[in-house]
Amino acid sequence: MDKRKLLLAALALITVSGQAKVRLPHLICDNMVVQQQTDARLWGWAKAGNEVKVTTSWNGKTVTAKADKAGKWLVKVATPAASYNAYTITFDDGEGAVTIKNVLAGEVWVCAGQSNMEMPVKGFGQCPVEDVNRHVLEAQNPNGVRSVKIPSVMRMTPQEDADCYWRECTPKNVVDFSATGYFFARLVNKTLNIPVGLIEANKGGSRVESWLTKENLEKYTSEPTDTMGIVNFKKDWDYHRAMVWGNGTFSPVLNFTVKGILYYQGCSNVGDPGNQYSERMKLLVEQWRSQFGLGEIPFYFVEIAPYWYDNCEGDAGARLREQQFKAAQMIPNSGLVCTNDCAYPYEYTQIHPTQKQKVGERLAFLALNKTYGMSSVICESPSFKEMTVKGDTVYLHFNNEFGGLSRFEDIEGFEVAGEDRVFHKAKAQHFWQPGGGQWDEALIVTSPEVQHPVAVRYCFRNFQLGNLANMGGLPLFPFRTDNW
């Protein structure tokens, strides 16, 4: 018996001594997608002082790095043009090699935010994704879209690794992909015919403050950054806590070379005063761009969908949407998706609306136009431009009509108010008049209850669905002309 134990121990020692010493973060593994045609970062750990050789099969070249005193190393490798060719990457520190396989070159996007970004293709409990069976059955291209989910964990300090792995797109696996992210990636893949990789780093219920660093929170907010302060400040809901989700869930991806960021968040910040949310959104984007060190990468984000927030007629949600719209004007190389038509009337108490395909594809419209140069793709929703009042009639003009407004009749969602600041449902209709050498189109809004209108609102309530869109079918952003 003793001889058998000694033999097993010897075999274990041989096995351990034959194992590679170089260690990779979980994010660098089989099936991953590297950002095409760039100097992509690869990193890991080895014995301090060891030289690590990284060899890529697409060009046969080897680059080296020396592990520092903490055992950390990082290299940059020139990546090929996007294709469906499966590559390998070998890491060798002289004490053993690790090879990762089935690596693709393509476009890599981060899927950040809260539960409406996290919501998978299979949906949440009592929260389905529309047409789920069709989407599952159509997921037959494992090389078209791939995804990695970063576990949602809280940490007081920034983490360098996360327990995760890359997944291929199959009917079995796609059910766990972010629905919004998947519909974005599927359309980009189909249009450009190149692989798309998604890094899902999000947390349901998180606030914008959940992703800010300790330094930014201490400099720009009054949020506590010590353990007990964080727990006591948001003791009822851990997903509302500041900083810790960024440390645990987002920090592990910051070394990865990506194309851009997709973001869907805001519900947990409803009620924030003034421009606080828009200013912190701008701060967050600046922080992430600085941390990634990739320049002014695209940032495309999603307006929160209509939801009752305990009172459909209230406007706390509308004011947050207004802040999101302001943030889009403040953040360079960004774009905002309007979701006013992405909830059904019966979903007024549903925080996770079923129509995720619209959301993901509208994010793709932004990327295809602004990032990939497809200028013929209409990617921006119409927005309020100016108003004039003549008697009892308000004349409205809009940005980003792209040739006109639809729908033509039975337009819903407008309200007008007089000096008493009481809003009444209004009738809206198209109107053409000579102007600028051509017929100028306006939308005229009237209400028999308001003889002297001074303000107009469109879907500026927590849950109010309009039906006006531009020629690309993209809905009009909710707005108000007053500052009451």
Side-chain angles (χ1 to χ4, degrees), residues 383-390 393-399 401 405 411-416 426-433 440-446 453-459 468 476-477 479-482:
S383 60
F384 170 74
K385 181 179 181 180
E386 61 185 8
M387 113 176 161
T388 57
V389 179
K390 297 179 180 178
T393 302
V394 178
Y395 294 75
L396 299 173
H397 289 86
F398 302 96
N399 301 302
E401 295 182 3
L405 293 171
I411 299 169
E412 297 288 342
F414 283 93
E415 297 177 286
V416 296
K427 180 179 180 180
Q429 55 188 336
H430 297 270
F431 177 78
W432 288 267
Q433 60 186 353
D440 177 44
E441 181 184 6
L443 201 70
I444 58 174
V445 179
T446 59
V454 299
V456 175
R457 292 185 175 185
Y458 176 75
C459 295
L468 197 61
L476 174 64
F477 277 112
F479 70 89
R480 59 174 175 162
T481 64
D482 61 273

Side-chain angles (χ1 to χ4, degrees), residues 274 315-324 457 460 480 484:
D315 64 4
R319 290 175 184 270
L320 194 283
R321 294 183 200 105
E322 184 176 59
Q323 289 200 55
Q324 291 180 309
R457 292 185 175 185
F460 202 79
R480 59 174 175 162
W484 302 336

Side-chain angles (χ1 to χ4, degrees), residues 25-27 150-151 160-164 248-249 252:
H26 289 75
L27 195 53
I150 310 301
E160 297 179 322
D161 195 10
D163 187 7
C164 60
T249 306

Side-chain angles (χ1 to χ4, degrees), residues 14-47:
I14 292 171
T15 302
V16 171
S17 63
Q19 287 178 344
K21 301 298 182 183
V22 66
R23 182 168 70 87
L24 302 175
H26 289 75
L27 195 53
I28 298 177
C29 65
D30 293 351
N31 304 319
M32 81 170 179
V33 181
V34 294
Q35 180 59 39
Q36 67 157 329
Q37 295 182 304
T38 189
D39 291 327
R41 294 180 294 237
L42 301 171
W43 71 98
W45 301 267
K47 184 178 178 180

Side-chain angles (χ1 to χ4, degrees), residues 97-366:
V98 172
T99 298
I100 63 172
K101 303 173 183 177
N102 197 23
V103 176
L104 302 181
E107 295 293 279
V108 182
W109 289 80
V110 178
C111 298
Q114 62 179 80
S115 56
N116 272 298
M117 179 62 83
E118 184 180 28
M119 185 177 182
V121 171
K122 65 184 178 185
F124 291 137
Q126 310 303 319
C127 307
V129 170
E130 195 169 54
D131 295 330
V132 59
N133 280 344
R134 178 169 60 85
H135 300 312
V136 168
L137 294 173
E138 290 175 352
Q140 299 287 348
N141 181 5
N143 292 329
V145 179
R146 294 182 177 182
S147 175
V148 54
K149 178 71 170 77
I150 310 301
S152 301
V153 296
M154 293 183 289
R155 295 292 184 269
M156 285 302 296
T157 58
Q159 302 298 292
E160 297 179 322
D161 195 10
D163 187 7
C164 60
Y165 60 94
W166 283 86
R167 306 165 292 187
E168 295 180 295
C169 182
T170 64
K172 179 180 179 180
N173 292 336
V174 76
V175 293
D176 293 315
F177 285 25
S178 158
T180 295
Y182 173 65
F183 294 130
F184 163 88
R186 186 177 69 174
L187 186 56
V188 172
N189 164 250
K190 182 178 179 180
T191 304
L192 303 181
N193 193 28
I194 58 177
V196 179
L198 301 174
I199 299 177
E200 302 179 29
N202 42 59
K203 170 59 183 175
S206 57
R207 300 181 299 144
V208 66
E209 293 83 3
S210 302
W211 308 102
L212 291 173
T213 60
K214 179 179 181 179
E215 293 74 19
N216 277 333
L217 287 168
E218 291 178 346
K219 186 175 182 180
Y220 297 104
T221 80
S222 59
E223 298 268 341
T225 58
D226 63 289
T227 303
M228 291 310 299
I230 290 173
V231 171
N232 290 331
F233 188 67
K234 292 294 178 184
K235 59 184 177 181
D236 294 329
W237 308 107
D238 62 2
Y239 48 77
H240 281 170
R241 292 173 182 167
M243 184 182 75
V244 292
W245 298 107
N247 283 342
T249 306
F250 207 89
S251 288
V253 313
L254 291 171
N255 271 343
F256 209 92
T257 303
V258 302
K259 186 67 172 184
I261 301 171
L262 311 174
Y263 188 77
Y264 191 165
Q265 185 276 332
C267 300
S268 292
N269 285 97
V270 167
D272 283 7
N275 292 324
Q276 178 176 294
Y277 181 82
S278 54
E279 291 168 355
R280 292 181 182 180
M281 274 297 307
K282 181 175 182 291
L283 176 64
L284 177 61
V285 176
E286 291 171 347
Q287 171 190 299
W288 278 346
R289 285 173 173 169
S290 174
Q291 289 175 312
F292 273 112
L294 300 170
E296 202 172 83
I297 57 176
F299 181 82
Y300 302 133
F301 63 120
V302 182
E303 175 188 76
I304 58 171
Y307 178 72
W308 73 317
Y309 294 106
D310 296 326
N311 178 9
C312 288
E313 299 300 309
D315 64 4
R319 290 175 184 270
L320 194 283
R321 294 183 200 105
E322 184 176 59
Q323 289 200 55
Q324 291 180 309
F325 187 83
K326 289 179 180 177
Q329 318 308 307
M330 297 162 59
I331 302 169
N333 198 18
S334 72
L336 179 65
V337 166
C338 180
T339 60
N340 181 253
D341 64 341
C342 292
Y344 290 115
Y346 61 82
E347 292 185 303
Y348 64 94
T349 61
Q350 176 56 277
I351 196 70
H352 305 119
T354 187
Q355 299 179 69
K356 289 295 182 284
Q357 185 174 352
K358 282 184 180 179
V359 180
E361 291 186 348
R362 286 172 187 174
L363 286 168
F365 296 157
L366 285 167

Side-chain angles (χ1 to χ4, degrees), residues 18-93:
Q19 287 178 344
K21 301 298 182 183
V22 66
R23 182 168 70 87
L24 302 175
H26 289 75
L27 195 53
I28 298 177
C29 65
D30 293 351
N31 304 319
M32 81 170 179
V33 181
V34 294
Q35 180 59 39
Q36 67 157 329
Q37 295 182 304
T38 189
D39 291 327
R41 294 180 294 237
L42 301 171
W43 71 98
W45 301 267
K47 184 178 178 180
N50 275 12
E51 183 179 75
V52 178
K53 297 180 180 180
V54 180
T55 304
T56 51
S57 70
W58 53 79
N59 57 13
K61 292 184 178 181
T62 299
V63 295
T64 63
K66 189 175 182 179
D68 64 16
K69 293 181 179 179
K72 300 177 183 179
W73 55 267
L74 183 147
V75 299
K76 293 182 179 180
V77 298
T79 54
S83 74
Y84 298 108
N85 296 327
Y87 299 111
T88 63
I89 307 175
T90 299
F91 305 84
D92 191 349
D93 69 344

